[in-house]
Amino acid sequence: MKFIKLFFGIAFIFPLALLAQSRASVNIQNNATLDRKEAVVAIKWNAVLSKYPQIDTANFVVINSVTKKQVPYQLEHIGQKAVQNLLVQVDVKATSTLSLSIQKGKPETFVTKTYARYVPERKDDFAWENDKIAFRAYGKALEKEKDNAYGFDVWVKRTDRMILNERYKLADYHTDHGDGLDYYHVGFTLGAGNMAPFVKDTIRYSGNYQQWKILDNGPLRTTFQLSFDSWNAGEIKVSATKTISIDAGSQLNRIENVYTFEDTKPMPVVVGIIRRPETGVLSLNEQQGIMGYWEPTLGNNGTTAVGSILTTPVTNMSVDATQIIAKTTVENNKPIVYYTGAAWDKAGKITNSKQWFDYLNNFNQQIKNPLVVSIK
């Protein structure tokens, strides 16, 4: 009889052990009073492995525990061979918790919502986009041309499709063929929210980027690095690396800059937005570090909105004839993070200045009140 009892005890425990290894449960908690829509959330891959060590990266699904539907996901590497994070895109209502299940299954084919590439056929452009908006940075080949520019460029779009390759192939991206166009002028300014040293009350522009590296390329998040050779920033020798991420569903990029310079004191830097000579609408909030600009309408091309959010203390914001700038400081070899991006009224989502400024304010609240992830 003792042998029979022991046998049944083992038989009861063994399936539970198998079950524990066949799935992981994730809770995503929104403590803020704002709904989070189309949020891309990072779940530490090591945490997933600790609960689901037998997971097969090619044969698993993420299931919404309420709707029982699959949730789009991406394995994020951040330039590493090993997986760093599991990214999921979800909606989480205000002051509520969303439950997900990670389990064995055949994943659906998820639509690509972010993308970036180096564009050697267009003078070393580096271009990137998501399902809302697109951007580009200028490369070394353009430095020799009369139409060189310094800042970030905006390519407005009114489709959720990835359109960069189509536009470059067509080579007529200054014309709207139904999905948007490039009509944003950058010139010798910081454009749509680039950053540069601000030494002796002067913006010290770098040359164009010299090297690039893609760390992840969709479908939910694209991350890449642009490296800049050293330059003279007002008698300070400076070099820089900019790591840029764009998430599906977001109008803004996350930018992490690392400046290297020979000085023990913090170096002043500015984030800048080009200002048009015609009348637009400005919203400047030094305390919160938010710059918002609703540009003047440019004929049939419509209106571009541009905005930046700094996460470090802003010493001041100012406006002159050509740019809107926010000043802060950075330490040698220490990353500084901020957000910058754009929207287009003809995309039909953000169609006036109030909606744009509200978007920036809400985005700032999301930065300060991130979703809380727990796994079991």
Side-chain angles (χ1 to χ4, degrees), residues 17-311:
L18 281 178
L19 182 63
Q21 293 182 351
S22 66
R23 70 177 63 223
S25 298
V26 178
N27 287 333
I28 302 176
Q29 186 174 349
N30 181 6
N31 295 318
T33 57
L34 295 170
D35 292 345
R36 293 294 302 274
K37 296 182 178 180
E38 301 182 291
V40 175
V41 183
I43 305 166
K44 294 293 185 183
W45 188 245
N46 284 341
V48 174
L49 292 178
S50 70
K51 303 301 180 182
Y52 188 180
Q54 304 303 318
I55 190 171
D56 179 353
T57 56
N59 293 284
F60 79 92
V61 294
V62 181
I63 301 294
N64 184 311
S65 299
V66 174
T67 66
K68 307 303 180 184
K69 293 182 179 180
Q70 288 196 30
V71 172
Y73 70 79
Q74 174 185 334
L75 296 177
E76 184 183 34
H77 291 261
I78 320 179
Q80 304 298 312
K81 184 176 180 180
V83 177
Q84 302 298 305
N85 295 305
L86 171 64
L87 304 178
V88 295
Q89 188 177 35
V90 294
D91 296 337
V92 189
K93 291 189 177 298
T95 62
S96 68
T97 299
L98 175 69
S99 295
L100 306 175
S101 175
I102 304 171
Q103 60 195 55
K104 185 177 180 179
K106 183 178 179 180
E108 298 173 1
T109 300
F110 304 118
V111 175
T112 296
K113 297 181 179 180
T114 68
Y115 174 71
R117 80 170 176 99
Y118 167 59
V119 191
E121 68 269 30
R122 220 306 295 194
K123 301 175 183 176
D124 294 338
D125 280 359
F126 195 95
W128 67 102
E129 66 179 317
N130 68 359
D131 50 344
K132 306 293 184 183
I133 196 76
F135 304 90
R136 68 171 167 173
Y138 300 109
K140 56 186 176 183
L142 195 67
E143 289 182 338
K144 304 173 184 178
E145 304 294 330
K146 63 180 181 180
D147 57 345
N148 188 29
Y150 294 154
F152 294 142
D153 191 18
V154 178
W155 282 21
V156 294
K157 55 189 289 189
R158 50 180 167 186
T159 176
D160 56 7
R161 295 186 305 104
M162 302 296 98
I163 48 79
L164 287 178
N165 287 336
E166 294 177 18
R167 289 194 186 174
Y168 276 112
K169 186 176 181 179
L170 188 62
D172 187 28
Y173 44 77
H174 296 296
T175 302
D176 187 357
H177 294 280
D179 57 18
L181 72 159
D182 171 26
Y183 75 94
Y184 191 81
H185 172 68
V186 176
F188 298 128
T189 74
L190 292 169
N194 201 0
M195 177 183 281
F198 190 72
V199 180
K200 297 181 180 179
D201 295 326
T202 302
I203 299 175
R204 306 294 177 169
Y205 296 101
S206 68
N208 295 351
Y209 85 87
Q210 301 296 302
Q211 296 178 312
W212 61 272
K213 181 180 181 181
I214 293 178
L215 307 183
D216 288 283
N217 209 352
L220 297 180
R221 174 178 293 167
T222 288
T223 302
F224 58 92
Q225 287 182 339
L226 301 178
S227 298
F228 298 77
D229 287 351
S230 61
W231 72 99
N232 181 7
E235 300 180 0
I236 301 175
K237 188 177 181 180
V238 180
S239 60
T241 299
K242 304 189 177 192
T243 303
I244 301 173
S245 294
I246 191 165
D247 283 358
S250 177
Q251 303 289 155
L252 304 185
N253 303 280
R254 180 188 187 273
I255 301 183
E256 181 177 302
N257 292 341
V258 175
Y259 289 97
T260 301
F261 52 94
E262 295 178 357
D263 202 328
T264 58
K265 299 183 296 182
M267 180 176 67
V269 293
V270 292
V271 175
I273 298 171
I274 185 172
R275 182 187 178 198
R276 310 303 175 191
E278 301 81 9
T279 302
V281 185
L282 278 172
S283 176
L284 304 181
N285 187 334
E286 283 188 1
Q287 186 175 3
Q288 295 296 320
I290 305 172
M291 293 191 297
Y293 184 37
W294 185 260
E295 287 197 339
T297 300
L298 186 60
N300 292 331
N301 290 329
T303 306
T304 299
V306 186
S308 302
I309 302 174
L310 283 72
T311 63

Side-chain angles (χ1 to χ4, degrees), residues 249-376:
S250 177
Q251 303 289 155
L252 304 185
N253 303 280
R254 180 188 187 273
I255 301 183
E256 181 177 302
N257 292 341
V258 175
Y259 289 97
T260 301
F261 52 94
E262 295 178 357
D263 202 328
T264 58
K265 299 183 296 182
M267 180 176 67
V269 293
V270 292
V271 175
I273 298 171
I274 185 172
R275 182 187 178 198
R276 310 303 175 191
E278 301 81 9
T279 302
V281 185
L282 278 172
S283 176
L284 304 181
N285 187 334
E286 283 188 1
Q287 186 175 3
Q288 295 296 320
I290 305 172
M291 293 191 297
Y293 184 37
W294 185 260
E295 287 197 339
T297 300
L298 186 60
N300 292 331
N301 290 329
T303 306
T304 299
V306 186
S308 302
I309 302 174
L310 283 72
T311 63
T312 49
V314 172
T315 53
N316 76 288
M317 290 182 177
S318 61
V319 181
D320 63 22
T322 59
Q323 296 194 74
I324 309 147
I325 62 172
K327 183 179 176 183
T328 185
T329 59
V330 63
E331 295 184 46
N332 177 40
N333 274 327
K334 291 189 177 180
I336 181 171
V337 175
Y338 73 104
Y339 297 80
T340 194
W344 189 36
D345 67 335
K346 294 181 78 169
K349 303 295 184 181
I350 297 172
T351 58
N352 59 60
S353 60
K354 181 182 184 305
Q355 290 177 346
W356 178 235
F357 301 150
D358 286 346
Y359 180 90
L360 295 175
N361 289 329
N362 290 344
F363 197 102
N364 187 47
Q365 290 303 311
Q366 293 169 15
I367 296 170
K368 294 181 177 180
N369 298 281
L371 298 171
V372 180
V373 177
S374 58
I375 187 167
K376 58 183 179 179

